[in-house]
Amino acid sequence: GAGVSQSPSNKVTEKGKDVELRCDPISGHTALYWYRQSLGQGLEFLIYFQGNSAPDKSGLPSDRFSAERTGGSVSTLTIQRTQQEDSAVYLCASSLGGKRRKTQYFGPGTRLLVL
Amino acid sequence: AQTVTQSQPEMSVQEAETVTLSCTYDTSESDYYLFWYKQPPSRQMILVIRQEAYKQQNATENRFSVNFQKAAKSFSLKISDSQLGDAAMYFCAYRSSAGNTGNQFYFGTGTSLTVIP
């Protein structure tokens, strides 16, 4: 079946602009994660959604970052007033929920460049 | 919080040879999951292998196997008969099996593997 998809693949924006990044998880996966990967670094956890529960936002670096998940499926990560340090690859992953959520399956990521 | 350490930023291996990538982690939990993910230049993170902490037997997937030493909190990845397509960044990851704390995966900083023809 289809994997996790993300759009756009690449995004170039000017400092101060808002951007929206989209993630379509694998059908049937109730858990969804957003990560940030800066150049040459590991993955930094941003936010986690599980079903209709309140999201775990503990990884969001500032209040300029927000995310929502509509209908328990598609998720949008929004970065307001972008800064150059926001430049990174943003990865989305999904997994089954509950105790079965052993493995995350990743999308190809969105590479964000803030000029 | 759990931490995952990959002490080898870069590794290289001759094609058809064997290479071992190191990973250590720090946790006070007894039940958890460990993973190795591969990220080629395409950026797509691909699951290589998974190990449940309660299982004593080391996981194996074709040419990939792990050496899981629970007491030492070590989880190394062995790639046998290395192929050019194995060249990628490899990330070690930890996830708790506990309810609320199982939300996050903790990733190491990665090891860049080069395969020499």
Side-chain angles (χ1 to χ4, degrees), chain B residues 26-61:
Chain B
D26 184 24
T27 184
S28 59
E29 299 174 332
S30 61
D31 195 14
Y32 46 87
Y33 301 100
L34 296 165
F35 305 82
W36 278 98
Y37 280 91
K38 168 185 176 181
Q39 187 181 41
S42 67
R43 294 201 311 252
Q44 182 75 56
M45 293 277 280
I46 303 164
L47 176 68
V48 174
I49 200 164
R50 177 181 67 214
Q51 174 82 42
E52 287 92 342
Y54 65 85
K55 291 186 177 179
Q56 293 185 335
Q57 186 174 7
N58 289 325
T60 299
E61 288 287 343

Side-chain angles (χ1 to χ4, degrees), chain A residues 9-68:
Chain A
S9 298
N10 296 280
K11 176 72 176 179
V12 180
T13 191
E14 294 179 347
K15 178 181 174 181
K17 299 286 188 181
D18 297 351
V19 295
E20 285 189 353
L21 312 180
R22 177 187 168 103
C23 172
D24 282 86
I26 292 173
S27 178
H29 281 192
T30 58
L32 187 148
Y33 304 75
W34 282 99
Y35 294 90
R36 178 169 68 177
Q37 185 179 27
S38 300
L39 185 63
Q41 300 297 312
L43 275 67
E44 175 189 4
F45 167 79
L46 296 177
I47 189 169
Y48 161 79
F49 295 90
Q50 171 55 54
N52 295 321
S53 302
D56 177 354
K57 304 179 181 179
S58 59
L60 294 178
S62 77
D63 58 7
R64 296 187 296 105
F65 288 73
S66 63
E68 63 178 22

Side-chain angles (χ1 to χ4, degrees), chain A residues 4 11 35 38 42-43 45 66 74 89 93 96 104 111 113:
Chain A
V4 178
K11 176 72 176 179
Y35 294 90
S38 300
L43 275 67
F45 167 79
S66 63
V74 172
V89 174
L96 292 170
Q104 294 183 332
R111 184 181 299 278
L113 178 61

